[in-house]
Amino acid sequence: MRYSYRLKDDNINIEKILKILESKNYIYDNENPELVFVFGGDGTVLGAVQDYIDKVDDIIFIGINHGNLGFYTDFIQDDIKNILNLIENNEYDISNLPLVEYHITNNQNIYKGYALNEISLISLDRTMIMEIYINDFLFEKFRGTGIAVSTPSGSTAYNKSLGGAVVDINIPSIQLTEIASINNKVYTTLGSPIILGKNINLKMIPVKNNDLVFNVDNRHLILKENVIIETKVSDKCVKLLTQKNRSFFKRVQKAFIGDVND
């Protein structure tokens, strides 16, 4: 089995872990791994996915936290031998996590990419004015600070803090959520999140040529004038190895609700 790994910091005894993997005949291959062990939190998983975004169809990611468990980290560091036993005995589940795909057109150049959590657009210096098209239908002209487009797994992150809905990861969809929209007698937006299905193309065209921060999970870039941003549910999914019977909703409950029997 070919593997690679990503680390959040140097507090993990990676040499000990690598010896365990070698004893099980795992072969280190940073270019074409079948498994990627991610030691850190959810942010480290997001970074690892971006590192291998062009090969996600052929990779299984395994999130291993050295602190609290997260949405993408189902194991802790001491679980490494148990993880290998689960793999050997085929006693694990795979969560197929939908990605959001984006295309940015800027002066005839096209930039394409994917996000596991969300993409967001935020105006740096003035109110954003953005035309929102759903399948080429002009749905609204947004005015406010910004816009987030999240995946189902990302619906529990920035999207939730914006008042968005938590979406089942088994529903291929994207969620458009406004950031500080302006609603008054003159300007009006939908004012609530909207969930769009797999065959929907979402297009966003800035009306004013102000600079925008374009965030992709934990990375960002600055978009200048004359851009068109298109997003949709990708055909690609991230394969995340999880323990059996540890559902997405158990993670949601643990993170936001706690034990309902208390």
Side-chain angles (χ1 to χ4, degrees):
M1 183 78 72
R2 301 187 311 276
Y3 79 94
S4 184
Y5 66 90
R6 290 294 183 271
L7 287 173
K8 177 183 179 181
D9 51 44
D10 296 327
N11 293 327
I12 296 171
N13 189 351
I14 191 63
E15 296 301 325
K16 177 181 177 181
I17 293 171
L18 296 182
K19 287 181 180 179
I20 294 173
L21 290 167
E22 290 173 4
S23 71
K24 294 285 188 177
N25 297 317
Y26 281 71
I27 301 169
Y28 179 75
D29 185 343
N30 192 48
E31 294 299 321
N32 295 291
E34 298 169 85
L35 300 174
V36 174
F37 295 88
V38 185
F39 300 92
D42 288 342
T44 314
V45 175
L46 294 178
V49 168
Q50 289 298 329
D51 288 344
Y52 288 103
I53 197 67
D54 294 329
K55 302 176 181 179
V56 291
D57 293 334
D58 303 315
I59 293 175
I60 295 174
F61 293 85
I62 305 171
I64 304 169
N65 207 323
H66 57 83
N68 296 319
L69 298 180
F71 281 97
Y72 299 127
T73 55
D74 212 25
F75 303 93
I76 59 175
Q77 184 178 343
D78 292 340
D79 287 336
I80 187 66
K81 290 184 179 179
N82 179 48
I83 294 170
L84 300 183
N85 287 333
L86 294 178
I87 294 172
E88 183 178 344
N89 298 312
N90 198 30
E91 295 178 346
Y92 59 86
D93 287 333
I94 295 292
S95 292
N96 292 295
L97 307 178
L99 293 166
V100 56
E101 177 179 339
Y102 65 86
H103 294 76
I104 301 173
T105 305
N106 185 359
N107 296 325
Q108 306 306 313
N109 295 315
I110 298 177
Y111 306 92
K112 178 181 177 181
Y114 306 87
L116 176 56
N117 256 10
E118 79 275 316
I119 64 171
S120 65
L121 289 155
I122 298 174
S123 179
L124 282 175
D125 55 358
R126 67 187 75 169
T127 297
M128 175 190 291
I129 304 178
M130 182 82 74
E131 292 180 344
I132 307 293
Y133 292 83
I134 298 176
N135 282 349
D136 293 323
F137 166 69
L138 179 56
F139 179 71
E140 69 175 10
K141 186 175 286 188
F142 171 84
R143 287 175 172 83
T145 299
I147 292 168
V149 180
S150 64
T151 65
S153 58
S155 69
T156 61
Y158 186 32
N159 168 77
K160 187 176 184 299
S161 71
L162 296 172
V166 173
V167 179
D168 186 347
I169 59 172
N170 295 303
I171 301 174
S173 59
I174 55 175
Q175 183 170 181
L176 172 68
T177 307
E178 300 173 356
I179 304 172
S181 61
I182 296 174
N183 284 282
N184 53 36
K185 291 181 179 180
V186 180
Y187 305 122
T188 303
T189 66
L190 182 64
S192 68
I194 182 169
I195 298 171
L196 305 171
K198 188 171 176 58
N199 296 318
I200 299 296
N201 185 69
L202 178 66
K203 182 164 62 177
M204 296 171 282
I205 303 177
V207 175
K208 286 187 176 181
N209 291 328
N210 49 314
D211 292 350
L212 302 175
V213 178
F214 182 72
N215 298 291
V216 181
D217 288 339
N218 54 1
R219 304 179 183 187
H220 70 273
L221 57 93
I222 303 298
L223 298 183
K224 298 293 184 177
E225 59 185 29
N226 300 321
V227 297
I228 299 174
I229 304 100
E230 296 183 79
T231 69
K232 63 180 181 179
V233 181
S234 174
D235 292 329
K236 291 179 177 289
C237 285
V238 169
K239 300 181 183 69
L240 184 71
L241 189 145
T242 65
Q243 299 184 51
K244 277 191 172 294
N245 302 317
R246 181 170 166 80
S247 71
F248 171 71
F249 293 106
K250 284 186 179 180
R251 291 180 173 83
V252 173
Q253 182 192 56
K254 185 176 187 301
F256 301 112
I257 301 173
D259 191 344
V260 296
N261 294 316
D262 288 347

